[in-house]
Amino acid sequence: EDSSLLDQDDYMNMNHYMMENNELYTLRQQLANSDQTNKILEMELANAQHTAQMQYQDENERLRAGLKQLASMQANEILQMEQKLQVEKLAQNARHATAQ
């Protein structure tokens, strides 16, 4: 009877050990899956950050080019206005000189 009790204890201990071992295996698998998911998410985040940075640089360059073009157009308009003023002054001076 003592040996059958021992066998039963051994069986219970082995059963308990196997259950713990299975639980540990499951937890390790879940951890490995989580690590893999984290790596994938980190790569996706890095790609998204890179894409956002590239879009920001493209937009920044486009806006700078637009501002440069606008500044150039305004400088040309100012030059044309100054030339018109000079022509008008010359015409006014010529009229004033002929009036005397």
Side-chain angles (χ1 to χ4, degrees):
E1 194 174 314
D2 283 344
S3 79
S4 72
L5 241 138
L6 221 103
D7 288 346
Q8 192 175 3
D9 283 347
D10 286 346
Y11 175 78
M12 293 296 282
N13 286 337
M14 187 181 75
N15 194 31
H16 181 73
Y17 170 77
M18 286 177 63
M19 285 174 52
E20 281 184 350
N21 199 27
N22 284 342
E23 192 175 335
L24 280 173
Y25 176 79
T26 302
L27 289 172
R28 284 188 182 118
Q29 283 298 110
Q30 288 174 347
L31 183 60
N33 290 342
S34 292
D35 286 345
Q36 189 68 21
T37 300
N38 283 344
K39 286 177 185 172
I40 291 168
L41 290 173
E42 285 172 2
M43 289 187 336
E44 288 178 358
L45 178 60
N47 284 339
Q49 287 172 332
H50 178 73
T51 300
Q53 182 67 26
M54 296 301 290
Q55 288 173 341
Y56 168 79
Q57 286 176 350
D58 289 348
E59 183 68 7
N60 197 19
E61 288 173 16
R62 187 185 69 75
L63 290 173
R64 283 181 185 271
L67 284 173
K68 193 173 182 180
Q69 184 180 10
L70 184 62
S72 175
M73 288 168 53
Q74 288 176 336
N76 284 338
E77 286 178 18
I78 290 170
L79 240 129
Q80 288 175 358
M81 291 170 112
E82 287 174 343
Q83 288 172 349
K84 280 183 184 177
L85 278 174
Q86 283 181 340
V87 168
E88 286 177 16
K89 272 187 181 179
L90 287 173
Q92 190 178 25
N93 287 344
R95 281 194 303 273
H96 188 60
T98 53
Q100 287 179 350

